[in-house]
Amino acid sequence: MRIAIAGAGNVGRSIAQELIDNGHQVMLIERQPKMLRPDRVPAADWVLADACELASLEEANVAGCDVVVAATGDDKVNLVVSLLAKTEFAVPRVVARVNRAENEWLFTEQWGVDVAVSKPRVMAALVEEAVTVGDLVRLMTFRQGEANLVEITLPPTAPYVGQPIHAVPIPRDAALVAVLRGKRVLVPTPDDPIEAGDELVFVCTAEVEDEVRAVILGPESAERHRGRP
């Protein structure tokens, strides 16, 4: 893929190097000359320009990119870059970095954002995922389709422990995409049994999260969740 990254700070450079290592063509757009450090990611194309300016994005041929990543440390800049990439250049996928948790609500499809990556949310989710058993933990939100990546670690009391996956009435608009068991990542098949301690990873809409929680953990779990302040 051809990928443009706005912001060549530590985050932008790290993303660029990872994508290059995976075989993608990456362009880094940076407006501050002092941040232009091609020696840090020599395989990337470096462009000194303001990614908030339409003319700069046209000159960089952003329209020819498969993905734009708005990775600056300024949420206002990331929103403008996302909006321009989507509305002016019809970039198929726009990923935006959220720096401040209170701004997360802005990073929606109305601003051209397909996926918003919030550092505070990701860190909180990783903490919860590591210690939470018997509840649903939201790991990531895919804004364009209002879908979430969620995880549930099964306690021994979960109603379908020991039963095959085909026996679990997974709600519509939800899909079990992986089972993490110890150090193994399992692709779920209908006849696989689920076990206590399994981490079940779902993609689902926000509207059915409570249904997923009720099915996997029991109706009383969903009731407890709704009763929280």
Side-chain angles (χ1 to χ4, degrees), residues 169-198:
I170 296 172
R172 184 178 179 179
D173 295 327
L176 177 61
V177 295
V179 178
L180 310 183
R181 183 173 296 158
K183 296 182 179 180
R184 300 177 62 200
V185 178
L186 308 176
V187 178
T189 61
D191 293 327
D192 290 336
I194 55 176
E195 302 176 1
D198 281 354

Side-chain angles (χ1 to χ4, degrees), residues 133-134 151-165 168 176 179-182 184 186 191-200 216-217:
V133 176
E151 180 268 348
I152 300 174
T153 300
L154 291 182
T157 56
Y160 291 97
V161 166
Q163 297 192 41
I165 290 171
V168 182
L176 177 61
V179 178
L180 310 183
R181 183 173 296 158
R184 300 177 62 200
L186 308 176
D191 293 327
D192 290 336
I194 55 176
E195 302 176 1
D198 281 354
E199 296 180 48
L200 307 185
I216 302 301
L217 298 172

Side-chain angles (χ1 to χ4, degrees), residues 37-113:
R37 300 172 181 173
D39 57 302
R40 298 290 182 90
V41 192
D45 297 322
W46 288 73
V47 176
L48 180 61
D50 187 344
C52 289
E53 293 183 357
L54 197 59
S56 298
L57 297 178
E58 287 177 346
E59 188 173 345
N61 191 26
V62 167
C65 291
D66 301 291
V67 182
V68 164
V69 182
T72 79
D74 187 324
D75 285 343
K76 296 188 295 295
V77 170
N78 291 343
L79 284 170
V80 172
V81 170
S82 298
L83 186 63
L84 291 176
K86 184 65 70 176
T87 60
E88 298 295 330
F89 299 99
V91 175
R93 190 163 182 82
V94 177
V95 179
R97 170 188 177 187
V98 185
N99 296 278
R100 299 179 66 87
E102 61 266 30
N103 295 332
E104 190 175 358
W105 66 277
L106 288 165
F107 286 74
T108 65
E109 61 181 354
Q110 282 73 31
W111 278 93
V113 179

Side-chain angles (χ1 to χ4, degrees), residues 210-227:
D210 278 345
E211 292 181 51
V212 172
R213 182 184 283 107
V215 167
I216 302 301
L217 298 172
E220 66 283 354
S221 174
E223 290 298 326
R224 285 198 303 270
H225 178 80
R226 282 193 286 269

